[in-house]
Amino acid sequence: MPLVDPGPIIAQAHAQGRAIVGANVSTVQMVRGVIRAAESTKRPVLIQFNRSGVELIGGVDVAALVVTSIAADSAAEVALHLDHAHTLDELSQAINAGFKSIMVDGSTLPYEQNTTMTQSAKGLVAWSGLPLEAELGHVAGNEAGVTIGEASWTDPDQAGRFVQATNVDWLAVAVGNTHGGPAIGGLHIDRLRAIHEAVDVSLVLHGASGLTDEELASAVELGVAKINVGTSLHQAAASGIGTWLQESPRDLRGALLAAEEAVFEEASSLLSSSWAFGN
């Protein structure tokens, strides 16, 4: 089916105390694997590209064409999201290419500069009606395509002011989660609860690959309506390729298909989680 608007889906998930998987991908095979999983589990999914993923697949126009084409041959509800953009130009390119939601990431900037940047991004997307995600506090770790600095946890009081000042649609929070690996010390549930009480928008949790299913379920109960996963999907793809090439070192086509199958299995597991929104 055609790409869908993720705004109503995430709003519905939020209202029902569930969450949508935001699957960060980099290759055609990863796109195919995730969309196949969404169709198999009958769960909606956001296909997401950060800067590294966009570069690897060949640019935002290619990313949009690939996802649109594969989704058109599927019964799954698929949206296309730009993750961790740092400039208004990146946002404009994604909007023009056909992305259905976008994220501006000023999380490494001082609060005032992050607010100003997000306000500018909101003004940019106003004509398109696309949902805008921003990040307050900073999720650290190690992930290609993401600007990593020292972790700074989201302040609940600042979160309330930030959402009011920017009118952002979704707020990504830093509450112990980590890009690219396991969270150190687990999620800060009390902090997340305070943020949930301070804002009236859907929350987003980045760095979910390192969190337990129980932690994710707890986060969803506290207003998280989009859960981003990239590392575990990329690790699955790499493992599929590596295992295949050990047996057939010259069979690249087979290795790529093995990567797709491994991503399908990992994405199917995520989308089948008790907290995942869908039928």
Side-chain angles (χ1 to χ4, degrees), residues 75-116:
E77 290 182 283
V78 179
L80 178 58
H81 177 77
L82 182 68
D83 203 27
H84 291 288
H86 296 289
T87 68
L88 296 183
D89 186 55
E90 289 177 85
L91 300 182
S92 295
Q93 290 178 29
I95 294 171
N96 292 332
F99 280 62
K100 297 302 183 181
S101 58
I102 54 180
M103 177 196 181
V104 60
D105 184 1
S107 63
T108 59
L109 300 174
Y111 173 80
E112 292 78 9
Q113 292 181 32
N114 188 5
T115 300
T116 299

Side-chain angles (χ1 to χ4, degrees), residues 150-217:
E150 292 186 8
S152 59
W153 309 132
T154 306
D155 179 272
D157 292 333
Q158 276 193 344
R161 298 197 304 272
F162 184 81
V163 169
Q164 185 174 23
T166 62
N167 199 29
V168 71
D169 298 281
W170 310 330
L171 181 67
V173 294
V175 288
N177 41 318
T178 304
H179 280 297
I184 299 174
L187 286 184
H188 304 174
I189 294 299
D190 289 343
R191 181 180 296 273
L192 181 58
R193 181 179 292 107
I195 296 168
H196 177 46
E197 293 172 352
V199 306
D200 59 358
V201 298
S202 298
L203 302 178
V204 180
L205 198 67
H206 290 238
S209 293
L211 298 174
T212 67
D213 199 58
E214 291 76 15
E215 286 177 310
L216 294 176

Side-chain angles (χ1 to χ4, degrees), residues 244-269:
W244 185 271
L245 290 178
Q246 285 181 351
E247 298 294 329
S248 305
R250 297 185 179 182
D251 184 8
L252 178 60
R253 292 181 180 85
L256 293 174
L257 290 174
E260 178 184 325
E261 194 63 27
V263 170
F264 167 76
E265 295 292 341
E266 177 67 16
S268 295
S269 177

